[in-house]
């Protein structure tokens, strides 16, 4: 896997709405707001946008590429697409934006994500009287939601590797500490391991504070060619590597339990290919933005992306090695989905860009390479961003 | 948040692909698909084999012997049927033939759940059409 257009494209603009419980505007309006802000940040105009890629989720209110293009005044779209698979798609719109620009199919590509998740109903609450596909073999037994699916995987991980609830809690504590410095973060009050362990049980062994926020908000980034990026307003975040990864016999989050080895996760494949694409390894990464819908998922990505051996991430976290500023590999310096906002991981892409620019509220000193990884347990995607090409 | 949710226990939608499983369960047999070409047992039901790509398969009765692979107990907010019975235990079991199933255990208290415990398939009639495969101590 060496075919990726290494460093041929860059993220040159980022934009975001506020992250709140009820934003009071449609996902189309928040998408437009984030995109306008990202274009302003890049000093580019809506009329120059000729590609749009998004994370898409069933039930969105009207922020299709079609509707966004018309309302944005992007009247010459040459490439577009939407990516599913929930948090596994977090990096995918940027991967495809880079591909469209690198091949010359488009020149200014916007990738975005909007979701009114704080004010909307949980998807599982819409479970019907009859359930199909794999759900037919799960919902009658009471298994309907991601946190329940993850709890089953987490219990098995604890059994195989001896990981503990305290170690998972350390992830939430570390990220909350980072969020306390971030004015965009929804939750900013510091917490302790004891706070996490005494928060109410959602699906044993996962407590409330092991789970991500539910917020409303939108994020966007602008991707253009490396040549053009050098002449723009912001320090470019060059896209050194990009990947998607699935692996064998996968389903959605429930599917881990049906695989021969549930820890043969999609992130292993995304990791292999993003490092190969960039010609890098974990030793080159200065800061990691990991998809963290539930705290154990950060441990699995630390292992998949090579920061520690399988089964060793619990101890790694417990020793403070993911903590900003002194840890070996600071993780989720914005607070992540556990404390900043839940935007299906797209806010992690923006934080990666901030780290490359040197503008994070938890800036890693001299950060030159940022890893952004989408959900470990569903068809996944990843990016390696760097300061100088 | 409970207002729009279904009150009853959700049921499977039976399709052309999955009908043999439910018909067997009604007759108190546990059947899964087995690839005609490479012999791999598989669950959940699929049209093709991930191991060898063959689309030929036969629904095959298995022993029902299994062990507890993992479990959780889920707490509200839940669908009303389960919320009324919370904490509601969920189990994933591994059949001795290999495949894993999501299920519930019967006759096992929550504090007795132990990964690796021996189990045996059992059957719970929900209505005239649907019988669930559950597991009891083996």
């Amino acid at each position: 896997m060496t075919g990726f257009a290494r460093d041929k494209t860059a993220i040159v603009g980022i934009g975001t709405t506020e992250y709140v419980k009820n934003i009071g505007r449609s996902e189309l309006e928040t998408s437009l707001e984030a995109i306008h802000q990202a274009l302003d940040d890049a000093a580019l105009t809506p009329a120059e946008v000729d590609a749009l890629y998004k994370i898409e989720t069933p039930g969105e209110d009207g922020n299709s590429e079609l509707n966004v293009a018309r309302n944005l005044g992007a009247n010459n779209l040459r490439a577009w697409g939407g990516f599913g698979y929930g948090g596994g798609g977090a990096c995918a719109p940027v991967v495809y934006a880079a591909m469209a620009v690198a091949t010359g199919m488009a020149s200014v590509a916007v990738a975005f994500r909007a979701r009114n998740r704080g004010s909307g109903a949980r998807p599982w609450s819409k479970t019907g009287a009859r359930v199909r596909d794999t759900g037919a073999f799960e919902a009658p037994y009471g298994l309907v939601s991601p946190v329940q699916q993850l709890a089953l995987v987490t219990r098995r991980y604890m059994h195989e590797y001896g990981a503990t609830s305290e170690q998972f809690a350390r992830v939430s504590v570390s990220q909350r500490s980072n969020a306390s410095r971030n004015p965009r973060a929804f939750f900013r009050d510091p917490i302790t391991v004891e706070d996490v362990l005494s928060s109410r049980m959602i699906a044993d062994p996962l407590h409330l504070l092991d789970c991500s926020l539910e917020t409303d908000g939108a994020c966007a980034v602008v991707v253009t060619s490396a040549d053009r990026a050098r002449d723009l307003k912001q320090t470019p975040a060059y896209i050194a590597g990009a990947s998607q990864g699935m692996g064998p016999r996968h389903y959605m989050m429930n599917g881990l339990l049906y695989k021969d080895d549930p820890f043969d996760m999609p992130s292993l494949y995304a990791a292999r290919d993003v490092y190969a694409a960039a010609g890098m390894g974990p030793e080159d990464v200065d800061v990691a933005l990991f998809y963290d819908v539930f705290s154990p998922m950060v441990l699995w990505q630390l292992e998949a992306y090579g920061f520690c051996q399988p089964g060793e991430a619990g101890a790694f976290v417990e020793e403070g090695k993911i903590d900003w500023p002194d840890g070996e590999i600071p993780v989720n310096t914005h607070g992540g989905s556990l404390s900043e906002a839940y935007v299906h991981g797209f806010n992690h892409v923006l934080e990666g860009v901030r780290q490359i620019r040197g503008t994070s509220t938890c800036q890693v000193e001299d950060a030159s390479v940022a890893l952004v990884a989408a959900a470990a347990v569903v068809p996944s995607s990843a990016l390696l961003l760097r300061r100088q090409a | 948040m409970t207002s729009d949710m279904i009150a009853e226990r959700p049921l499977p939608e039976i399709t052309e692909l999955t009908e043999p499983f439910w018909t067997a369960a009604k007759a108190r047999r546990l059947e899964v698909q087995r690839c005609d070409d490479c012999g791999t047992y598989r669950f959940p039901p699929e049209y093709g084999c991930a191991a060898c790509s063959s689309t030929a398969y036969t629904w095959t009765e298995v022993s029902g012997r299994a062990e507890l692979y993992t479990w959780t107990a889920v707490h509200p907010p839940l669908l009303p049927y389960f919320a009324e019975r919370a904490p509601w235990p969920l189990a994933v079991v591994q059949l001795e033939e290999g495949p894993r199933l999501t299920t519930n255990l019967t006759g096992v208290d929550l504090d007795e759940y132990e990964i690796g415990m021996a189990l045996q398939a059992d059957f719970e009639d929900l209505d005239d059409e649907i019988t669930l495969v559950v597991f009891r101590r083996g």
Side-chain angles (χ1 to χ4, degrees):
Chain A
M1 255 298 290
T2 53
F4 181 73
R6 186 185 300 172
D7 299 321
K8 298 293 188 204
T9 61
I11 298 175
V12 294
I14 59 175
T16 173
T17 63
E18 72 272 34
Y19 304 130
V20 292
K21 205 74 198 162
N22 186 348
I23 204 162
R25 307 190 283 288
S26 71
E27 287 159 349
L28 176 57
E29 290 170 281
T30 58
S31 296
L32 291 166
E33 191 177 323
I35 293 169
H36 274 290
Q37 204 188 108
L39 289 165
D40 287 347
D41 184 53
L44 291 168
T45 65
E48 292 175 272
V49 174
D50 58 0
L52 283 174
Y53 292 99
K54 62 175 291 198
I55 301 176
E56 71 186 6
T57 315
E60 288 172 323
D61 56 350
N63 68 342
S64 64
E65 304 94 296
L66 179 74
N67 290 350
V68 168
R70 203 173 54 248
N71 285 275
L72 188 64
N75 294 321
N76 188 26
L77 273 203
R78 297 180 167 104
W80 60 86
F83 297 88
Y85 304 110
C91 298
V94 186
V95 174
Y96 279 77
M99 282 166 57
V101 170
T103 60
M105 195 169 172
S107 60
V108 175
V110 166
F112 67 100
R113 209 281 173 185
R115 190 58 170 156
N116 288 351
R117 185 68 174 254
S119 56
R122 306 288 186 275
W124 62 262
S125 70
K126 296 171 186 160
T127 300
R130 292 277 179 167
V131 182
R132 51 184 316 156
D133 301 325
T134 54
F137 299 97
E138 295 163 354
Y141 298 104
L143 178 61
V144 295
S145 74
V147 66
Q148 298 165 355
Q149 294 159 357
L150 243 291
L152 290 163
V153 180
T154 300
R155 168 84 57 204
R156 184 71 197 184
Y157 178 77
M158 295 168 82
H159 174 78
E160 290 195 14
Y161 295 110
T164 66
S165 291
E166 286 77 7
Q167 293 170 342
F168 305 141
R170 281 287 283 109
V171 173
S172 301
V173 170
S174 176
Q175 294 189 195
R176 182 64 65 82
S177 172
N178 296 344
S180 70
R181 300 166 56 90
N182 172 5
R184 290 178 312 278
F186 188 83
F187 279 136
R188 290 194 289 265
D189 294 334
I191 52 172
T192 64
V193 167
E194 187 47 43
D195 290 334
V196 179
L197 299 182
S198 62
S199 63
R200 69 189 168 81
M201 196 65 93
I202 303 295
D204 195 348
L206 299 176
H207 299 81
L208 180 66
L209 292 178
D210 288 308
C211 303
S212 72
L213 291 159
E214 296 279 14
T215 48
D216 290 359
C219 297
V221 303
V222 183
V223 174
T224 193
S225 68
D227 286 344
R228 185 149 188 208
R230 284 185 253 281
D231 300 328
L232 292 175
K233 188 170 145 193
Q234 305 289 355
T235 301
Y238 293 98
I239 301 175
S243 70
Q244 290 184 286
M246 194 180 297
R249 199 169 164 253
H250 206 75
Y251 295 83
M252 284 299 281
M253 225 182 282
N254 58 333
L256 287 176
L257 297 163
Y258 304 131
K259 292 171 72 112
D260 293 341
D261 175 6
F263 302 104
D264 184 20
M265 292 184 180
S267 54
L268 287 161
Y269 299 85
R272 177 194 65 191
D273 288 353
V274 79
Y275 284 137
M280 293 184 192
E283 65 282 0
D284 298 306
V285 178
D286 299 305
V287 55
L289 294 314
F290 284 144
Y291 190 79
D292 56 335
V293 64
F294 305 112
S295 57
M297 215 186 278
V298 169
L299 275 64
W300 303 336
Q301 286 165 93
L302 284 165
E303 295 172 10
Y305 285 88
F307 297 99
C308 48
Q309 294 299 308
E312 292 181 356
F316 190 87
V317 167
E318 206 162 33
E319 290 160 14
K321 291 181 177 171
I322 66 166
D323 298 345
W324 180 88
D326 298 322
E328 212 168 279
I329 177 73
V331 169
N332 291 344
T333 45
H334 54 330
S337 307
L338 291 166
S339 286
E340 188 193 53
Y342 187 68
V343 200
H344 253 150
F346 207 89
N347 47 329
H348 297 46
V349 179
L350 274 63
E351 179 66 8
V353 174
R354 287 187 204 100
Q355 287 287 354
I356 295 303
R357 290 180 179 182
T359 60
S360 171
T361 47
C362 289
Q363 183 61 41
V364 172
E365 204 176 338
D366 297 326
S368 64
V369 175
L371 167 66
V372 190
V377 297
V378 289
S380 198
S381 49
L383 293 168
L384 277 163
L385 306 176
R386 75 166 127 197
R387 191 161 56 216
Q388 285 151 342
Chain B
M1 123 170 243
T2 57
S3 56
D4 296 335
M5 292 197 265
I6 54 165
E8 65 277 17
R9 187 173 192 164
L11 295 176
E13 183 177 322
I14 297 174
T15 66
E16 169 263 337
L17 178 67
T18 63
E19 179 275 329
F21 177 90
W22 299 110
T23 300
K26 191 88 252 175
R28 309 185 89 73
R29 290 194 315 272
L30 174 55
E31 292 188 2
V32 300
Q33 291 169 301
R34 188 175 194 195
C35 177
D36 287 349
D37 285 289
C38 74
T40 302
Y41 289 95
R42 68 173 182 257
F43 189 86
E46 302 282 6
Y47 290 99
C49 177
C52 77
S53 307
S54 170
T55 55
Y57 62 86
T58 303
W59 282 93
T60 306
E61 185 171 7
V62 292
S63 65
R65 284 189 293 275
E67 61 179 46
L68 184 60
Y69 187 77
T70 187
W71 62 275
T72 183
V74 301
H75 298 256
L78 298 170
L79 295 174
Y81 177 89
F82 302 106
E84 287 159 15
R85 295 160 175 81
W88 176 267
L90 290 169
V92 172
V93 303
Q94 180 149 25
L95 303 178
E96 71 174 5
E97 291 82 1
R100 297 190 199 107
L101 283 71
T102 298
T103 189
N104 300 135
L105 305 190
T106 64
V108 182
D109 291 338
L110 193 50
D111 61 7
E112 297 170 343
Y113 280 56
E114 191 178 347
I115 290 177
M117 68 193 289
L119 300 167
Q120 177 65 43
D122 203 346
F123 300 89
E124 182 182 344
D125 295 321
L126 290 192
D127 59 25
D128 290 345
E129 183 193 20
I130 303 294
T131 295
L132 292 184
V133 178
V134 296
F135 284 78
R136 56 176 165 76
R137 283 181 183 282

